[in-house]
Each structure stands twice: as C-alpha cells, then as structure tokens.
Amino acid sequence: MKSLFLYVLFTLLACHCALAQVSNKYVFERSFFAPVGTIFDSSLAPDSRTSAVIDYTHTIRVWNTKTGQSLKVIPTYAHKATILKILPFSNFILTGGMDGVIKLHSIASGGIIQNFSVNLGLIKHLQTSKNGSFFIASGEENKIIYWKLNQFIGTHYYIPTTSKITALAVHPSGNIIAWTDIKGNINLWSLLRQRLLIRAKITSQRITHISFDPSGRFIAFGGYDKNVSIWNWKQHKITTVIKHKKPIINFGFTADSTEIMVCTEANKVYIWNINTKKLVQSLQKIDGTINTCAVSSTEDLLQVGFLKTKVRIFKKTALQHILSLQSHKTRIRTFDASKDGRFILSNDISNQFKLWDLKRKIPIGQIPAPKDPIFAIRFSPDSKFFALGGENGHLSLWDTNTKKQIRSFLGYKARILSIAFHPTKPLIAAVGEEPELFIWNYKTKALVLHKKIHKGPMTYVSFSKNGDLLAVTGTDKTTIVLNTDDFSIKDTFTKHKGIVNNADFSYDDKQLATASADLTSLVWDLNTKEELYRLNGHEASVARIYFLPNNQYLLSAGNDKTVRLWFLQNKKFFLVSTLKALPIHISELRIVESKHLAVLSGDSNKIYLLDLSKKLFIKKQQNQSLDPLLKSTITDFLPEETIIEEKAARIKEAELLQKLLKRQKQRRYGLASISSKNFFIWKKTKVNKKLLQAKKALNNFLDNPDFCKDKEYIKKLALNILKEDSTDKAAYYALILTSLQERNTMPILLFSKLGSNAYFDTDIYNFMSEWDLDLYFLVWDKFLFDHTSRFAIGLENIELRTCNDTVILSAIPEEYIFLDIPNETKLAITQGETQVDFTTFTKKTNFEAFRKYIYILNELIANKKKLITQQDFAASFIRWRYLNDTILQLDFSKIRQWDKQNNTILFKIKPQKKTWQTYNTDTSKFKILFVPNNHYYIQANGSLKKYVSVSSDSPRNSFFNIQ
C-alpha cells in the first residue's frame, strides 16, 4: 500500500500539471519596444490592424498588430505630439501637440497631410467618430472644437463649455458627443441640433475617462473615485458600479457589450462581466507602471502602454488553454487521444511512451518501446486497441488495457508516417515514405490492399465518418480520395502549391478539408469536386485541420504557433478566434468530441489541452443569425476600396511566398529535402559532423541569446558555418544580430541581401519559424535598402537594441543605399558555388574600404573563384586601393515592359572587358549604384540600351536616361 502511495505521488510530481486555469479568455499576444523613456499615449486602430504610440522624444511609432512588424517611425519635431488617435482603416493618424495644433499624418509615407489650427492651447483630449468623418478635441482652454473632415479640409465650430474638460467621448451613431468637466458633470451635446441635451451632476471626484458602450445606450465613467460606473443616460440612472482599490486610468467595452476592461493605477488590468459584476480575469504579464490603455472598438483587443519603453497587446480568444501535460524529458514526436476521451498515448524522440488518464490528467503507465522509432499512433474507434507505426515499416497492434502487443503487420518497407482505422470494419490503413497505400485486416492479419496512388511519399491517411471513402495526402501536392468498396480512385484534388499535410472529412461526408505547407487550407465539395472555400491566415505551414461535429466550424493548427477557429456563414468561412499563446510550432492536433477538447503538441516535451466551447459541437439550425463570436471579425462596414486594398495585399503576400519557396535550395547535410517544412529520406549523402554540431550549437544560442555574454561566440560559430556552407540562412541572421549589437551597420547590407536568398534548415533550426525569418530579411533587404528609401522620411535611421535591451537610434549613411550586390554574386554564394570567408566584412572599417571589399568579392566570383579567403581580399585590396568610383544614376521610367508583380525591371550592366552583372531597379523606376570608374554597356529587356562612360573626370553623380 505504501509503495502504491509513493508511486502515485511520484507520478504526480513528475507530470508537473498546471491544474489551475491560466489566461482563460485573454491571452498575451505580443510586445512592442520603444526607446527608453515615457510613453505619452497609445492608440489601436478601430479595425485592429495597427497600433501606435508616442515615445518620450514625441516620435510616433506604428506597428502591425498581427505580425508585430514595425511599419513607420514618424518624428513630430516642433509639434511635440503628446496625444494620438488612429483613424478607421489604419491609414491615417491624428495627433495633438504641445504647439496647440492638431496634425493629420499618413502612415504610408509618414508625411503630414493637413494642419488644423484649433486655438485650444496644449491639446489634452482627442476623439474621432466611428467612421472617421470628424474629430473633437479640447485643451487648456475651456472649449471643444468639432471639425468635420472632408478630404481633410472641412468645416468646424466651437462648442462652449463652462469649466475645464477632463474627458471626451463620441456616440457610436456620430450624432452626439459627451464630455465631463472638473465639477463632476456629464454633458451631452447634439451635433444635429447643435445644443446641449443633458448636463447632470454625477460625482464630486474628478473623472479621468468616459466612454459610450457599443449600443450607445449607456455611458461608463471613472476616475479618482476608484469606481467604474455605468449610467443609463436616457433614464438618468446608474445601473452598475464596479469598485477598485486604485484610481482608474482607462477602460473600454468589449465588442458585444458584455464585459468591460479596466486599467488602474494599481498597475493591473481587470476584465469584469457587466451583468454579474464579477471579475472574469486579471491579466498577467503586467510588469511596470501603466501609463496608457487602449481598447479596440471592433475586436476584443487590449493595448497596455507602460510608463517606460514597453507596449503589450492582449487578445480575447474563444480557444482557452486550460492545461499542459508534461512528463516527457525530450520533445514529443507524436500522440493520439482515444475517441471516448479516456486516454492520451504519447511518444518522444527518445522513443519513450506515456499513457495518460485524461480525466485525472496524470500518466498511468508506460508501454515497452519497440526497437524502431515510432512516427504514428492511432486509437481504434472503440478505444480497445491502438496501433503504432514507424521506421522500417513497423506496424503493430496493442491492447489498451493490458498495454501488450497483440500482433504486427508485414509488407511495408519504409517509414510509416500515418495510420487510420476504419470506423466500422476491422481494417487499418498505413502510408509513409513509400508512394504506396497498405491496408490490412487487423483481426486476420491479411493484407487487403497494396496500391501505388501517389508519385512520391504520402503524409496522411483518413477514413470518412461512414467509412465509404478514404483520403490520402502526399508530397506531390495532391489529395486522392478512394472508394472503400473496391479501393478505386474516386477524385484527385490538386490546387495546393505545397505539400498536403492532412485531410479530414466533414461529419456528413459531403466535404473534405485539406491543410498544406503553402499556408492555406481548402474545403472541397465531394460531389462536384470543386473548391468551396479557401482559408488564408496562417503565416507558416498548416499542419492539421479538422471539422467539428456541427460541420460549421473548422479548427486548424500550424507551424506559426497558432490554433485558428473558423466559422461557416453565408457561404464563407470567417476567422472566429486565434490562439497564439503556445510557444510551439504545432505539428499534431486531435479533437476529443466527448470532452469538447483539442489536444495538440509540437516541438516541446508538453501536450497542451484547449477547452472548446460546447456550442462548437451542437448542430446549428439553418438560416441562423450571425454567430456572436464573429461580431468582432466581420468587415462589412469597410468601404469597398479598403476591401480591395486588403485583397491586393493578400495576393501580394501569396506571390511573395511563392518566390521565397522557389528560392529555397533543396540541400541538406545527411538528407535531401523536398519541402521547407517536411523532410523525407530520398538519398543518403556524406554528413559533415563538425558542421552539423556547429549548426546545432548555433540553434541553441539563438534560441535564448545572451548577447552581453555570447556575442563573440555566436559570431565565430556563424562564420565557421558559412566557411563550410554558404547557403545557411541562420548563420547570416546571427551575423546581422551581432552586427547590430556592435553598432556596425555596414555588414548588415551584405548579410541581409545574401540571407534573403539563403536556405533555412528547419530540421536543425527551431529558434524561429521559417516565415518569420523570411519576413525579417525582407524588412532589411526590401524596405531598408530599397533605393527609394532615400525619398522617405526617417528610413536612414534604424533602431539598434543593445544586449541589455536598450533601444538606441543609429543613422544609416545615404551611400549605403546606393551600394548593391549583383544577382550573380548572390546566387554563386547562396547556391554553394563559391565559399567565402566573411571575417573581413565583420571587422569594423570605413565605408570606402567596405565597398571596395564588395567590388573585390564581385570580381573574384566573376572570375569563377571557388574559395575566397581573407588573404584573397588582402591581396586584391592593394590593387583596388586607389581606384576611384562614382554614383551612377539610371532612369528606366521610359522602358515599357515592366515586371507586373513588383513594378521593377531586370537589367544588366557590363564593365568593359568584364562580365555582365544583373540588378533590379527600385520601385520608382530608378537605379542608383556605386560603381568603379569604367566604360559600361547597359542592357534591358534582352537588348542593348546604352553605352556610358564614368571616369575620374566625370562628376560624382552621373545621370543617364535609359530608353
């Protein structure tokens, strides 16, 4: 008895199960950083696409809330902005400054669209209407200005007040405004009648914030009295008072008006249910003095600005992370959950198995591990058995209760990647690295089917709910559906542009959902064979997608660390909710219908449980009203031009992705790769063990970098890797990071351009997702070093973050922008044709020497040199030291045949007696280059266009029109 007690105690301690619920409704989404100092104000766009703050230098900083990408840095100079509002549709920002002027800024260009002289003194309060048609503002003067915007030049008038204003608000209809004054009055003004509707004495304490609820029936106010009170202004009645221990900073209603989010001077954020007056949640990750709060009016999104440096975004989700199961010591490779919701069986990369009691959330035993590594686990429909599939064609059937192997199945020769049980018949199907489908009768062990149906390895197999159909996905980008009566091929679906990772039949067996490495999921009609719906939104490979029992919800998970819930309404799937709180690249997902759970895992030693609402499993009535979860996601109110703009952005993003995928080299040490996310053994190659160890070590350092301590070692590792493998994207990324720490911006030019063409080995590196890394290089190469950046404000300044996370500004000399690298040089290096020792480029030097090292690199590669060392650079530099160069400006605006995708043209220049060098023009149809003095031929669209000569007698800036 004592030993049994100790065993149970040990297993409880080993599993480290966090039984307390965490972040049930709002999850921490992301952080933004500004230079150290006070954050004056913050704002969320009404459509939740962008976020903006004013930092201590009165500079506006704008981010994309979904990707975290910095969009714009806008200095306000003498204006000294202290308050801001993003207008609807995220295109413009209004700011009020210490100069008493309100300015309208364009986020796209950073320029000032319009100045509004409002004569209010220092601007203290600023609000806009829901549709952006007007704004109201107040300042040190006791008056409010109403300014109607009409192409940014509109009518305005002043609203008289009797005392100092403490807060402003606009009614959702745009017909009424409200303000509070220093005397504790709430005032409502009709914009239609231009007269005061109500003045009511509410409190003797100062009110710091006021807001209408989304319906417009109630006004909430709060301040120094430490309460948030909700007032029915038509009935002159306070309906709800929510008490706090500290004064109120800010608050806002959720989109459905059922909850209110409150920021207080206690440096805490509370979410309250308005009807029950009960605390729903107290937000975590609040670590500093809160200075500003902003709440999205159309989506449940909360932005918290701390007194110094930091801004954090929290988001409401219908997907609730309730539990983490941890007992494995190494990364989980695969798992399955039984249909009855009793068990989870998991396997890690050390081939250890854990059987979990899902009700008690504890491991209840192990099974003896087979000799072969296991890559697929599946419970039978009645949960009495489970099957294991793995290396060398291993497939075995086990008894769930006794945990003993019953039988094994022979015939498959390669690695098995997926297995499936027939819902009613004793059949088990298996697929894997062989392009063949195997099906056995698991009672008789007889081989029922052995059939080649794909052109390459197969990734997933699944029976329909009634068992009449079988779907098999493959690396050949197709999904094949078979009839199970004779196993003839019924349909083939081919619209994916990447590996298809899984397929799932709807519960009525009328539709099929497929998930792919091309970032999309598709829903197919099994009768017409047509694509019904395309689900875009994941930022990396979609690993799994499943129907929920009511057929109107889909749940997808991917390598972008997100789980996404989709809802079918009016013949379109809408994204309901996204859970981004999990620190894993998700590779496996299961739905447990009986428990209303989603179970998932990825590149960690934990299994995560997500609590799904019961409503997702209840069959809906036809012609139903819009699902309440979607109220914050429908964009019907958007003007047509905004919808067109978003569609164009998605198309451009898809085109960019295809370019990135094409650029990637299918090269690995040890294995040959057929995809950016899924790897299968095709051909054994010689393994460079030292290189492999160096890459793994670099991954460990980049996974948790401490640049104060490890900077030099990271640089050394990266340089050693590139000496052996010039195609390694992670090594270029590491060199950029170390250059930033050393405030040495010159190497970033070279490494960003090479890295954007290099290959990211996701089988070794997991410190960052592949898509995130591609976006990182895109920002450096395209947006910073694009030649048109010299015409934009502020792009010559970049933010460098030191090892102690302090943000400083550093100027990028304009000449950097004119220094480019020929495409031939990029390809020679990133395709492994030339190995380069980049140590010379990482040393701090002046710009003149740096660009001559670039010239030397181009020349040596043009001369077909296969190995370029430090000695080669040193020897050539003596000859190049006194060579003069110039800035060559080329105008291609009169060339007609342009690349329609990115508005650039490919052209070549040939120095006399040397080889052609290829470049792309910038988006303004110009090209400005630093080039050595020489005679040049210029070719565009395959034909010679011009002969130019630049010499020591030429002006420093030589300009030529190309026709």
Side-chain angles (χ1 to χ4, degrees), residues 669-688:
Y669 284 82
L671 301 177
S673 164
I674 60 171
S675 168
S676 60
K677 290 292 179 187
N678 298 75
F679 298 97
F680 302 91
I681 299 176
W682 285 90
K683 182 180 178 182
K684 290 285 184 181
T685 59
K686 188 176 180 180
V687 177
N688 186 331

Side-chain angles (χ1 to χ4, degrees), residues 374-417:
I374 298 302
F375 292 90
I377 299 174
R378 183 66 77 173
F379 280 95
S380 62
D382 58 7
S383 303
K384 292 181 180 179
F385 311 105
F386 61 85
L388 304 179
E391 201 70 72
N392 301 317
H394 175 98
L395 183 63
S396 55
L397 188 69
W398 298 66
D399 187 286
T400 305
N401 292 326
T402 64
K403 307 178 187 66
K404 292 183 179 180
Q405 181 175 327
I406 301 173
R407 58 182 59 92
S408 60
F409 305 92
L410 302 176
Y412 206 91
K413 302 299 182 182
R415 178 185 296 177
I416 292 177
L417 297 172

Side-chain angles (χ1 to χ4, degrees), residues 131-156:
N131 61 7
S133 63
F134 68 86
F135 70 83
I136 58 173
S138 67
E140 294 176 323
E141 303 290 335
N142 293 339
K143 55 185 176 181
I144 299 171
I145 192 167
Y146 162 85
W147 202 303
K148 185 177 181 180
L149 298 174
N150 182 14
Q151 295 299 320
F152 314 122
I153 303 173
T155 59
H156 64 278

Side-chain angles (χ1 to χ4, degrees), residues 92 116 123 132 176 380 410 485 754 770 806 838 860 879 916:
F92 305 101
F116 304 98
I123 308 300
I176 299 171
S380 62
L410 302 176
D485 53 355
L754 296 177
E770 185 174 17
T806 300
F838 290 103
L860 293 175
R879 182 166 51 86
W916 289 102

